Amino acid sequence: MKIVEVHARPVVQVRATPLRDALQTLDQAGHCEVTVRSDSGHTGRGDLYSGRVAKSPHIIAALVNEVFAPAILGQDPFMVRAVRDTLWRLTDYHGTPGLAMHGIAGIDIALWDLSRALEQPVWRLLGAQHSQIPAYAMVGWLNYSIDELQRICALAMEQGFRGVKVKVGTPTLAEDLARIQAVRDVVQDKGLIMVDANQVLSVNEALTRGRAYADAGCYWFEEPIRADDVTGLARLAQSLPIPIATGENNFGKRQFRDLFERGAVDIVQPDLRRAGGVTECLEIGLMADAFNIPYASHGGGVHLHVLAALPNTLFMESGLFPAGSTTRLIDGCYPLPQEPGFGQE
């Protein structure tokens, strides 16, 4: 089997209701759809969310269509790591981390999805260890009023999630704690509460707030400071009683190796796009296991298959199920799809 076509299509949508965290307002929902076709007629797809920058899906698509595709045409699509290494070498001179990594991840995901040619789900080919994956709901955006925050968190618990994540990093600790308490009033002892500061705090402020979040019973403290401040993250991980979760803004396994070796993370959270795709996330997760570090994905979807194959899986992040969805959690867990590839049409 050979790769005969690689194509990326950019899509940009405007959010009807912008979402806000301590770092940014997400008023757009851009993504890039990558399709790989083999000479057998099978296709695989990788869909990459690319945030609030209107032109980023177009840049990723141009990289895939004009730079990456010509370099891998004719290669065996099952030689996924060989393709990955070709693309890494191709982008090394100008820097692989960044939008180039998004494009590489899209191709990697599409290649794994091509396993539908074998009529098997990807998790089975990765060597699954779990038949279902514990999930929590990311629902606590800062643009929500207290009443709306409570309503949405209550809905998450009704849908069966094991906990909820809320955004913190507001101008005052008192405001953060008021929002956490409002969520606790709804969740009570039926679920966990995670908090996420989206990199906006200083180390000293994170030390102060982290102790308060721990006292409030929060389960982890996510991205308290800049993702590239490994020294600061190590200080927080070693000083605070609440686990430090980070990783969604790290690129490639070697950046994660630095986090692990320096004791800068208690719960690792790779993002499928920034980390480099299914292949890279699987390798990051296995490396984390060697350091006894649990793995909780940033985002869900395709990541479910990676989580199924890791010995150190902790949680999958999810949004709420939309009205009319037929998806159901089993004891707070996502069941694994049985359809070929990633189970996406």
Side-chain angles (χ1 to χ4, degrees):
M1 189 182 293
K2 294 182 179 180
I3 298 170
V4 296
E5 183 182 5
V6 179
H7 180 72
R9 183 176 75 94
V11 179
V12 177
Q13 300 167 323
V14 176
R15 293 183 187 273
T17 303
L19 303 173
R20 183 169 57 85
D21 58 35
L23 179 68
Q24 61 201 332
T25 296
L26 300 170
D27 55 354
Q28 296 174 340
H31 62 110
C32 185
E33 300 170 350
V34 179
T35 302
V36 176
R37 185 168 63 87
S38 72
D39 59 357
S40 68
H42 294 93
T43 59
R45 298 178 181 86
D47 195 351
L48 303 165
Y49 172 71
S50 51
R52 71 189 190 280
V53 182
K55 292 298 181 182
S56 58
H58 297 272
I59 297 170
I60 296 167
L63 279 167
V64 171
N65 293 331
E66 299 174 26
V67 180
F68 296 163
I72 62 174
L73 290 178
Q75 291 198 33
D76 184 339
F78 288 110
M79 299 288 286
V80 180
R81 285 181 173 82
V83 173
R84 187 256 323 253
D85 291 349
T86 295
L87 298 178
W88 271 75
R89 288 195 301 272
L90 186 65
T91 56
D92 184 66
Y93 186 80
H94 58 71
T96 305
L99 291 180
M101 187 74 89
H102 282 243
I104 292 171
I107 290 172
D108 183 87
I109 294 166
L111 290 176
W112 279 104
D113 192 45
L114 258 175
S115 65
R116 62 181 60 242
L118 303 177
E119 299 185 354
Q120 294 292 331
V122 172
W123 58 263
R124 188 167 286 147
L125 301 179
L126 293 175
Q129 180 161 341
H130 312 285
S131 59
Q132 53 189 28
I133 307 300
Y136 72 90
M138 171 46 238
V139 291
W141 298 96
L142 290 182
N143 53 289
Y144 296 155
S145 68
I146 291 290
D147 288 345
E148 190 172 12
L149 179 65
Q150 289 185 311
R151 179 185 65 79
I152 293 172
C153 288
L155 179 57
M157 299 310 295
E158 289 172 10
Q159 291 185 349
F161 288 99
R162 292 195 177 186
V164 295
K165 186 164 72 182
V166 298
K167 300 296 187 178
V168 292
T170 61
T172 68
L173 174 56
E175 185 177 348
D176 281 352
L177 293 176
R179 295 178 71 82
I180 292 168
Q181 184 57 53
V183 173
R184 177 60 68 194
D185 290 343
V186 170
V187 173
Q188 299 180 6
D189 61 354
K190 295 179 291 186
L192 303 172
I193 298 176
M194 297 79 160
V195 293
D196 181 2
N198 290 99
Q199 307 183 76
V200 301
L201 303 175
S202 67
V203 172
N204 286 337
E205 183 67 15
L207 284 167
T208 298
R209 296 200 187 199
R211 294 186 186 101
Y213 301 151
D215 290 342
C218 297
Y219 186 69
W220 74 51
F221 185 8
E222 183 172 332
E223 286 207 312
I225 61 175
R226 284 183 57 95
D228 58 2
D229 185 359
V230 180
T231 299
L233 287 167
R235 181 181 172 192
L236 295 176
Q238 293 158 18
S239 301
L240 289 175
I242 186 172
I244 298 301
T246 193
E248 72 176 80
N249 282 293
N250 291 87
F251 292 83
K253 62 189 174 189
R254 288 170 178 80
Q255 288 190 8
F256 284 88
R257 179 188 62 190
D258 195 27
L259 284 175
F260 301 154
E261 288 181 337
R262 296 175 63 179
V265 58
D266 297 306
I267 298 168
V268 70
Q269 300 174 302
D271 174 274
L272 201 65
R273 304 149 299 173
R274 299 186 190 100
V278 168
T279 305
E280 202 81 4
C281 281
L282 180 67
E283 294 174 0
I284 290 164
L286 294 172
M287 180 168 53
D289 183 56
F291 283 86
N292 298 312
I293 295 171
Y295 187 111
S297 68
H298 178 244
V302 168
H303 224 133
L304 177 67
H305 295 255
V306 179
L307 291 162
L310 292 175
N312 51 333
T313 289
L314 180 63
F315 274 116
M316 185 175 82
E317 182 178 41
S318 175
L320 287 176
F321 302 136
S325 172
T326 58
T327 303
R328 296 291 183 272
L329 297 177
I330 301 171
D331 191 26
C333 297
Y334 268 90
L336 300 184
Q338 299 301 312
E339 298 83 4
F342 289 117
Q344 303 168 336
E345 295 301 327

